[in-house]
Amino acid sequence: MSHQRYEADLRRLMAGFPTGVSVVTALAPDGTPWGMTCTSLCSVALDPPTLLVCLRAGSPTLRAIQDSGSLSVNLLHQRARATSELFGSGAADRFDRLPWVPAQNGGPHLIEAAHTIADCTVTAEQTVGDHAVIMARVTLVTSLCRPVPLLYGMRRYGSWAEDTENSFLSYDFIS
């Protein structure tokens, strides 16, 4: 077996770690919606229910979260690749290009792209390198449809494919 070693290359490392895709959203105090595609998301605690998201320092979405003290995590379903790409592009008109509704205590809900949405209150923030690590307490979870998540890994999108013969879900990457 041959082994290859690389300089510390986090992108290469994380490409081999498939994950779900979310769009983190917030409303600025002036009512402007902000959002960005985020795969750096994990559960921290069940009690109190807490999520961790990592966002690029200096991003308008991070600034809106800091100013409002709240955010929403929109977990994208398997047919929402275009939404992931749109919110990863930085397009200024992204909220004009798809339906969304404001949340009572959080950011915009992407009602056609998400299968589940968590509204959160920020409880802590830590700067690490070129990102901010945000701890957020989940205050409300909204389920919009059956959770068949959009996945990302190996620099490709994928989804769970139902295996009717064995009655379980398998991982299937799509280009």
Side-chain angles (χ1 to χ4, degrees):
M1 173 186 255
S2 120
H3 297 280
Q4 290 182 319
R5 294 183 186 263
Y6 300 93
E7 196 64 34
D9 183 352
L10 191 59
R11 286 179 195 241
R12 180 183 299 274
L13 174 72
M14 295 312 295
F17 186 68
T19 186
V21 181
S22 68
V23 172
V24 175
T25 59
L27 281 178
D30 68 359
T32 302
W34 292 98
M36 62 189 288
T37 300
C38 178
T39 57
S40 298
L41 164 72
C42 72
S43 170
V44 175
L46 293 176
D47 188 16
T50 305
L51 296 176
L52 174 152
V53 296
C54 298
L55 303 171
R56 181 180 48 80
S59 77
T61 302
L62 175 59
R63 192 167 29 260
I65 290 168
Q66 292 166 328
D67 291 345
S68 68
S70 63
L71 61 98
S72 289
V73 175
N74 294 264
L75 301 180
L76 301 186
H77 59 65
Q78 67 180 353
R79 294 175 312 282
R81 176 180 175 170
T83 299
S84 173
E85 291 170 341
L86 175 64
F87 279 83
S89 74
D93 66 342
R94 61 194 120 183
F95 282 97
D96 296 332
R97 295 169 58 181
L98 51 80
W100 63 276
V101 297
Q104 181 108 9
N105 294 306
H109 286 192
L110 305 180
I111 55 175
E112 290 186 2
H115 64 78
T116 307
I117 303 167
D119 294 327
C120 306
T121 301
V122 175
T123 58
E125 178 183 345
Q126 172 79 41
T127 300
V128 178
D130 60 358
H131 277 65
V133 178
I134 304 291
M135 297 289 196
R137 182 175 184 166
V138 178
T139 57
L140 182 68
V141 174
T142 303
S143 295
L144 300 174
C145 63
R146 181 173 169 247
V148 181
L150 180 64
L151 304 172
Y152 189 78
M154 305 303 289
R155 295 184 174 83
R156 296 182 300 179
Y157 286 94
S159 66
W160 292 104
E162 220 167 312
D163 181 342
T164 54
E165 186 177 310
N166 295 315
S167 299
F168 68 91
L169 297 175
S170 62
Y171 195 58
D172 181 34
F173 272 113
I174 51 180
S175 296

